[in-house]
Amino acid sequence: MDKLSPLTDEECHALLRSRGLGRLGFTSGALPVVLPVNYLDRGDHLLLRTGVGPILEAAWAGQVACLEIDASEPVGHEGWSVLVTGRLHEIADPAQLKAVRALPLLAWARPDARHYVRLSIELLSGRRLGHDRTWPPAGTGVP
Amino acid sequence: MDKLSPLTDEECHALLRSRGLGRLGFTSGALPVVLPVNYLDRGDHLLLRTGVGPILEAAWAGQVACLEIDASEPVGHEGWSVLVTGRLHEIADPAQLKAVRALPLLAWARPDARHYVRLSIELLSGRRLGHDRTWPPAGTGVP
């Protein structure tokens, strides 16, 4: 029987660290938008890199936004999803900028984009979907 | 050199029809949410199936929402994303319900969920990312 189970914060962070591509949900021109973004999990925030555009404008506005990651295994109907909710801010401090520029992070749409944005991790939730089997599967690196 | 190019409506629909899993962006409890959903492209709307929960509540509220699909090929830094924006409505008409129940659509989280929701396609946009190569790659079925 299919069931939906909540994930712990530790499981959510392990899944966030195991991935680098998520979908950012925010508002642009009063409309909901979802865009693919690369990210780094920095513990209390996710780091994004972006060019001049709607994500940067949302950061300038200090918007509340969310980032989602998921995986599905259609045949067995198993999967999981993790949702981070927080506030977007552009990193403007020169010392912080110098530090993040050294990190291995490329923007999804424009790899060499020059702006860095933090999504604070205020809310973290995750759920796994699956049958009554052991989860996570062996070898996924998820504790 | 990387570049970002807009997709035509026809290309967007072809990509929507080539997939069945997207990420729905909407609002729940005044917060942005993104959740994985299975969908069917029905031309002027996307059809979703869901249980009692935030997606159904958003449909009851007639919320403006969006659905995003994307693909990435990290090595060559190529990809595309498509975004549909419209309004959510639950299907309540018995004849319509009977028709959609016959369609091959399972809910992501609860495959046998009993409610059906339409996302009208009011805005459709897509972009592809890639080098100066022919796109789409041969054999993807995208015209």
Side-chain angles (χ1 to χ4, degrees):
Chain A
M1 179 156 168
D2 286 320
K3 60 175 187 176
L4 214 55
S5 317
L7 301 178
T8 66
D9 280 9
E10 289 69 27
E11 288 173 319
C12 290
H13 274 293
L15 290 166
L16 283 166
R17 285 192 301 270
S18 75
R19 300 290 176 110
L21 171 66
R23 280 83 190 182
L24 187 72
F26 62 105
T27 301
S28 178
L31 291 173
V33 174
V34 174
L35 291 178
V37 292
N38 295 323
Y39 69 86
L40 286 176
D41 181 356
R42 305 276 289 161
D44 65 346
H45 68 276
L46 303 180
L47 182 67
L48 315 178
R49 183 173 173 175
T50 191
V52 174
I55 295 175
L56 190 62
E57 286 166 17
W60 288 342
Q63 261 193 38
V64 175
C66 65
L67 185 136
E68 185 261 1
I69 60 170
D70 61 61
S72 297
E73 197 259 288
V75 175
H77 202 80
E78 295 179 310
W80 53 263
S81 71
V82 171
L83 187 70
V84 172
T85 312
R87 207 173 273 275
L88 293 172
H89 287 292
E90 186 182 9
I91 297 176
D93 177 74
Q96 283 184 28
L97 265 179
K98 189 176 174 189
V100 297
R101 281 190 186 124
L103 296 172
L105 177 64
L106 298 177
W108 188 87
R110 294 181 180 86
D112 57 350
R114 294 183 177 197
H115 296 270
Y116 287 84
V117 165
R118 296 163 57 120
L119 176 67
S120 60
I121 304 180
E122 309 287 345
L123 297 170
L124 184 59
S125 67
R127 58 204 180 132
R128 64 173 175 256
L129 165 70
H131 308 289
D132 294 328
R133 298 190 206 163
T134 305
W135 189 95
T140 57
V142 180
Chain B
M1 179 156 169
D2 286 322
K3 58 176 187 176
L4 214 55
S5 317
L7 302 178
T8 65
D9 281 10
E10 289 68 29
E11 288 172 319
C12 290
H13 275 291
L15 290 165
L16 284 165
R17 286 192 301 270
S18 76
R19 299 292 175 108
L21 171 66
R23 281 83 190 180
L24 187 72
F26 62 105
T27 301
S28 178
L31 291 174
V33 174
V34 174
L35 290 178
V37 293
N38 295 323
Y39 68 87
L40 287 177
D41 181 356
R42 305 277 288 162
D44 66 345
H45 68 275
L46 303 179
L47 181 68
L48 314 179
R49 183 172 172 174
T50 191
V52 174
I55 295 174
L56 190 61
E57 286 165 18
W60 288 342
Q63 260 193 38
V64 175
C66 64
L67 185 137
E68 184 262 0
I69 60 171
D70 62 62
S72 296
E73 197 259 287
V75 176
H77 201 80
E78 296 180 309
W80 54 263
S81 71
V82 171
L83 188 69
V84 171
T85 312
R87 207 172 271 276
L88 294 172
H89 287 292
E90 186 182 9
I91 296 176
D93 176 73
Q96 283 185 27
L97 265 179
K98 189 176 175 189
V100 296
R101 283 190 185 122
L103 297 171
L105 177 64
L106 298 176
W108 189 87
R110 294 181 179 86
D112 58 350
R114 294 184 178 198
H115 296 270
Y116 287 84
V117 166
R118 296 164 57 121
L119 176 66
S120 59
I121 303 179
E122 309 287 345
L123 297 171
L124 183 59
S125 66
R127 57 204 180 132
R128 66 175 173 255
L129 166 69
H131 309 288
D132 293 329
R133 297 189 207 164
T134 305
W135 189 95
T140 57
V142 179

